[in-house]
Protein backbone atom coordinates (compact mmCIF):
# COMPACT_ATOMS: atom_id res chain seq x y z
CA UNK A 1 0.00 0.00 0.00
CA UNK A 2 1.38 3.46 -0.88
CA UNK A 3 2.09 5.99 1.85
CA UNK A 4 -1.22 7.23 3.19
CA UNK A 5 -2.03 10.57 4.78
CA UNK A 6 -3.46 10.75 8.28
CA UNK A 7 -6.57 12.47 6.89
CA UNK A 8 -7.23 9.48 4.62
CA UNK A 9 -6.79 7.06 7.51
CA UNK A 10 -9.19 9.09 9.66
CA UNK A 11 -11.82 9.00 6.94
CA UNK A 12 -11.62 5.24 6.48
CA UNK A 13 -11.35 3.79 9.97
CA UNK A 14 -13.64 3.72 12.98
CA UNK A 15 -12.61 4.33 16.59
CA UNK A 16 -14.82 2.26 18.91
CA UNK A 17 -15.20 3.62 22.44
CA UNK A 18 -16.37 1.02 24.97
CA UNK A 19 -16.95 2.45 28.45
CA UNK A 20 -19.90 2.26 30.85
CA UNK A 21 -19.37 5.88 31.97
CA UNK A 22 -21.47 8.14 29.71
CA UNK A 23 -19.33 11.16 30.53
CA UNK A 24 -16.17 9.36 29.42
CA UNK A 25 -17.83 8.21 26.21
CA UNK A 26 -19.01 11.72 25.43
CA UNK A 27 -15.67 13.33 26.27
CA UNK A 28 -13.64 10.90 24.18
CA UNK A 29 -16.08 11.07 21.28
CA UNK A 30 -16.01 14.86 21.23
CA UNK A 31 -12.23 15.03 21.48
CA UNK A 32 -11.67 12.51 18.70
CA UNK A 33 -14.32 13.88 16.37
CA UNK A 34 -12.81 17.33 16.82
CA UNK A 35 -9.54 15.80 15.58
CA UNK A 36 -11.33 14.35 12.56
CA UNK A 37 -11.82 10.74 13.69
CA UNK A 38 -15.00 8.76 13.09
CA UNK A 39 -16.26 7.26 16.35
CA UNK A 40 -18.85 4.81 17.66
CA UNK A 41 -19.53 4.77 21.41
CA UNK A 42 -20.84 1.69 23.23
CA UNK A 43 -21.98 1.55 26.89
CA UNK A 44 -20.88 -2.06 27.36
CA UNK A 45 -18.87 -4.87 25.85
CA UNK A 46 -22.07 -6.70 25.00
CA UNK A 47 -23.42 -3.66 23.15
CA UNK A 48 -20.30 -3.44 21.02
CA UNK A 49 -20.42 -7.12 20.07
CA UNK A 50 -24.01 -6.68 18.89
CA UNK A 51 -23.61 -3.39 17.01
CA UNK A 52 -20.07 -3.43 15.65
CA UNK A 53 -18.91 -4.33 12.15
CA UNK A 54 -15.49 -5.94 12.69
CA UNK A 55 -14.75 -5.80 8.97
CA UNK A 56 -14.34 -2.02 9.32
CA UNK A 57 -10.68 -1.26 10.12
CA UNK A 58 -9.96 0.89 13.14
CA UNK A 59 -9.29 0.83 16.86
CA UNK A 60 -11.07 -0.19 20.07
CA UNK A 61 -10.69 2.10 23.11
CA UNK A 62 -11.64 -0.17 25.96
CA UNK A 63 -12.25 0.25 29.69
CA UNK A 64 -11.28 -2.58 32.05
CA UNK A 65 -13.96 -2.56 34.75
CA UNK A 66 -17.53 -2.41 33.45
CA UNK A 67 -20.91 -3.88 34.33
CA UNK A 68 -21.33 -7.24 32.67
CA UNK A 69 -18.33 -8.30 30.59
CA UNK A 70 -15.07 -6.70 31.63
CA UNK A 71 -12.66 -5.16 29.16
CA UNK A 72 -10.37 -8.17 29.47
CA UNK A 73 -13.33 -10.49 28.84
CA UNK A 74 -14.15 -8.53 25.68
CA UNK A 75 -10.53 -8.69 24.54
CA UNK A 76 -10.63 -12.48 24.91
CA UNK A 77 -13.98 -12.72 23.11
CA UNK A 78 -12.70 -10.57 20.26
CA UNK A 79 -9.71 -12.86 19.87
CA UNK A 80 -11.93 -15.95 19.86
CA UNK A 81 -14.14 -14.38 17.19
CA UNK A 82 -11.14 -13.46 15.10
CA UNK A 83 -11.44 -9.68 15.37
CA UNK A 84 -8.34 -8.09 13.82
CA UNK A 85 -8.78 -4.74 15.59
CA UNK A 86 -6.03 -3.23 17.77
CA UNK A 87 -7.16 -2.63 21.35
CA UNK A 88 -6.08 0.35 23.45
CA UNK A 89 -7.07 0.04 27.09
CA UNK A 90 -8.02 3.34 28.73
CA UNK A 91 -8.84 2.65 32.36
CA UNK A 92 -8.78 3.93 35.90
CA UNK A 93 -9.00 0.42 37.36
CA UNK A 94 -5.74 -1.36 36.77
CA UNK A 95 -2.60 -2.75 38.31
CA UNK A 96 0.62 -4.13 36.90
CA UNK A 97 -0.75 -7.67 36.72
CA UNK A 98 -3.80 -6.58 34.74
CA UNK A 99 -1.71 -4.44 32.39
CA UNK A 100 0.74 -7.29 31.76
CA UNK A 101 -2.14 -9.69 31.09
CA UNK A 102 -3.74 -7.27 28.61
CA UNK A 103 -0.48 -6.70 26.75
CA UNK A 104 0.30 -10.43 26.72
CA UNK A 105 -3.05 -10.97 25.00
CA UNK A 106 -2.07 -8.54 22.28
CA UNK A 107 -3.29 -5.11 23.43
CA UNK A 108 -1.82 -2.26 21.40
CA UNK A 109 -1.43 0.04 24.41
CA UNK A 110 -2.49 0.42 28.03
CA UNK A 111 -3.26 3.94 29.34
CA UNK A 112 -4.33 5.14 32.76
CA UNK A 113 -7.17 7.63 33.36
CA UNK A 114 -7.02 10.57 33.35
CA UNK A 115 -5.32 9.93 30.03
CA UNK A 116 -2.90 12.35 28.44
CA UNK A 117 -4.65 13.48 25.20
CA UNK A 118 -1.43 13.67 23.19
CA UNK A 119 -0.38 10.18 24.26
CA UNK A 120 -3.84 8.83 23.43
CA UNK A 121 -3.97 10.47 20.01
CA UNK A 122 -0.49 9.22 19.19
CA UNK A 123 -1.45 5.67 20.13
CA UNK A 124 -4.69 5.86 18.13
CA UNK A 125 -2.84 7.18 15.07
CA UNK A 126 -0.32 4.34 15.07
CA UNK A 127 -2.94 1.65 15.76
CA UNK A 128 -5.32 3.03 13.11
CA UNK A 129 -2.55 3.26 10.53
CA UNK A 130 -1.65 -0.38 11.17
CA UNK A 131 -5.28 -1.51 10.90
CA UNK A 132 -5.83 0.49 7.71
CA UNK A 133 -2.66 -0.84 6.10
CA UNK A 134 -3.60 -4.40 7.01
CA UNK A 135 -6.92 -3.94 5.21
CA UNK A 136 -4.99 -3.55 1.95
CA UNK A 137 -2.80 -6.61 2.32
CA UNK A 138 -3.36 -9.07 -0.51
CA UNK A 139 -2.34 -12.66 0.02
CA UNK A 140 -0.13 -14.55 -2.39
CA UNK A 141 -1.44 -17.83 -3.83
CA UNK A 142 0.57 -19.91 -1.30
CA UNK A 143 -0.82 -17.72 1.51
CA UNK A 144 -4.36 -18.26 0.21
CA UNK A 145 -3.82 -22.03 0.24
CA UNK A 146 -2.41 -21.79 3.76
CA UNK A 147 -5.42 -19.74 4.93
CA UNK A 148 -7.80 -22.29 3.42
CA UNK A 149 -6.00 -25.12 5.20
CA UNK A 150 -6.58 -23.41 8.55
CA UNK A 151 -10.37 -23.26 8.10
CA UNK A 152 -12.66 -25.87 9.60
CA UNK A 153 -15.02 -27.80 7.34
CA UNK A 154 -17.92 -25.60 8.48
CA UNK A 155 -15.94 -22.42 7.83
CA UNK A 156 -15.15 -23.63 4.31
CA UNK A 157 -18.89 -24.17 3.77
CA UNK A 158 -19.59 -20.63 4.94
CA UNK A 159 -16.80 -19.35 2.69
CA UNK A 160 -18.40 -20.94 -0.39
CA UNK A 161 -21.69 -19.18 0.33
CA UNK A 162 -19.94 -15.88 1.05
CA UNK A 163 -18.13 -16.09 -2.29
CA UNK A 164 -21.51 -16.66 -3.94
CA UNK A 165 -22.59 -13.29 -2.54
CA UNK A 166 -25.18 -14.68 -0.15
CA UNK A 167 -26.27 -12.66 2.89
CA UNK A 168 -25.34 -14.05 6.29
CA UNK A 169 -29.03 -14.61 7.15
CA UNK A 170 -29.47 -16.72 4.02
CA UNK A 171 -26.33 -18.69 4.88
CA UNK A 172 -27.61 -19.33 8.39
CA UNK A 173 -30.89 -20.70 6.99
CA UNK A 174 -29.14 -22.87 4.38
CA UNK A 175 -26.74 -24.41 6.88
CA UNK A 176 -29.23 -24.64 9.76
CA UNK A 177 -27.08 -22.64 12.16
CA UNK A 178 -27.58 -19.38 14.03
CA UNK A 179 -26.93 -15.98 12.52
CA UNK A 180 -24.39 -15.27 15.25
CA UNK A 181 -22.50 -18.46 14.41
CA UNK A 182 -22.30 -17.47 10.74
CA UNK A 183 -21.10 -13.99 11.71
CA UNK A 184 -18.43 -15.55 13.92
CA UNK A 185 -17.26 -17.81 11.10
CA UNK A 186 -17.18 -14.84 8.72
CA UNK A 187 -14.96 -12.87 11.10
CA UNK A 188 -12.60 -15.84 11.44
CA UNK A 189 -12.48 -16.27 7.65
CA UNK A 190 -11.72 -12.58 7.17
CA UNK A 191 -8.96 -12.80 9.77
CA UNK A 192 -7.39 -15.84 8.14
CA UNK A 193 -7.32 -14.06 4.79
CA UNK A 194 -6.14 -10.78 6.34
CA UNK A 195 -9.12 -8.81 5.05
CA UNK A 196 -11.78 -6.54 6.54
CA UNK A 197 -14.62 -6.55 4.03
CA UNK A 198 -16.51 -8.57 1.43
CA UNK A 199 -15.23 -6.20 -1.24
CA UNK A 200 -11.68 -7.39 -0.51
CA UNK A 201 -12.76 -11.03 -0.52
CA UNK A 202 -14.65 -10.60 -3.77
CA UNK A 203 -11.49 -9.20 -5.37
CA UNK A 204 -9.74 -12.51 -4.53
CA UNK A 205 -12.74 -14.71 -5.40
CA UNK A 206 -11.27 -16.47 -8.44
CA UNK A 207 -7.93 -17.11 -6.74
CA UNK A 208 -9.64 -18.49 -3.62
CA UNK A 209 -11.89 -20.76 -5.70
CA UNK A 210 -8.90 -21.95 -7.72
CA UNK A 211 -6.94 -22.71 -4.54
CA UNK A 212 -9.93 -24.50 -3.01
CA UNK A 213 -10.27 -26.70 -6.09
CA UNK A 214 -6.59 -27.53 -6.38
Amino acid sequence: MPETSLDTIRENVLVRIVDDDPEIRETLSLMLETEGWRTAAHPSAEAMLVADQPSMPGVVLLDIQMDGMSGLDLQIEMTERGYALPVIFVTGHANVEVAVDAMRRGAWDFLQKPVDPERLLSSIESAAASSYAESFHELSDPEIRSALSELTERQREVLVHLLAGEHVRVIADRLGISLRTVQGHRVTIYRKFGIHSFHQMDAMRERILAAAGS
Side-chain angles (χ1 to χ4, degrees):
M1 188 189 76
E3 185 174 348
T4 307
S5 71
L6 181 56
D7 285 342
T8 298
I9 293 172
R10 286 170 175 157
E11 292 170 2
N12 290 280
V13 304
L14 182 67
V15 180
R16 292 88 163 160
I17 301 166
V18 186
D19 198 302
D20 59 0
D21 186 329
E23 185 175 347
I24 295 293
R25 294 197 305 274
E26 182 178 354
T27 299
L28 288 175
S29 295
L30 179 60
M31 181 187 75
L32 294 174
E33 288 169 7
T34 299
E35 293 290 329
W37 295 97
R38 299 168 58 200
T39 68
H42 304 285
S44 67
E46 292 87 348
M48 181 199 153
L49 290 172
V50 169
D52 190 54
Q53 294 182 308
S55 59
M56 168 69 74
V59 184
V60 181
L61 301 186
L62 183 54
D63 191 15
I64 288 283
Q65 188 170 311
M66 299 181 288
D67 292 334
M69 288 179 68
S70 70
L72 289 175
D73 289 338
L74 177 57
Q75 184 188 25
I76 294 169
E77 181 68 17
M78 288 170 62
T79 299
E80 291 179 349
R81 294 190 182 196
Y83 280 34
L85 298 169
V87 173
I88 298 173
F89 281 100
V90 181
T91 181
H93 304 281
N95 53 46
V96 173
E97 183 179 353
V98 170
V100 169
D101 191 27
M103 299 302 288
R104 180 174 58 82
R105 295 182 185 278
W108 186 270
D109 205 349
F110 196 98
L111 307 176
Q112 285 280 104
K113 296 176 183 174
V115 65
D116 173 38
E118 289 189 7
R119 168 76 187 279
L120 176 61
L121 289 172
S122 176
S123 187
I124 290 173
E125 288 176 10
S126 59
S130 174
S131 181
Y132 184 66
E134 186 177 315
S135 72
F136 282 86
H137 175 65
E138 185 170 326
L139 299 183
S140 65
D141 289 344
E143 287 174 326
I144 288 176
R145 289 193 292 270
S146 177
L148 283 169
S149 71
E150 294 178 5
L151 300 180
T152 65
E153 182 177 348
R154 176 64 85 188
Q155 288 163 356
R156 289 173 72 101
E157 288 181 308
V158 171
L159 173 61
V160 169
H161 290 287
L162 288 173
L163 290 172
E166 295 181 5
H167 190 276
V168 288
R169 293 186 183 279
V170 174
I171 298 173
D173 289 340
R174 286 186 184 279
L175 298 182
I177 55 180
S178 71
L179 175 62
R180 181 171 180 175
T181 297
V182 174
Q183 291 172 329
H185 286 322
R186 180 179 61 180
V187 170
T188 299
I189 291 166
Y190 282 7
R191 179 173 59 84
K192 295 293 185 184
F193 284 94
I195 59 178
H196 290 77
S197 68
F198 174 75
H199 176 73
Q200 292 173 271
M201 172 169 283
D202 193 46
M204 294 194 296
R205 181 211 304 253
E206 297 305 322
R207 294 171 61 214
I208 293 173
L209 290 173
S214 61

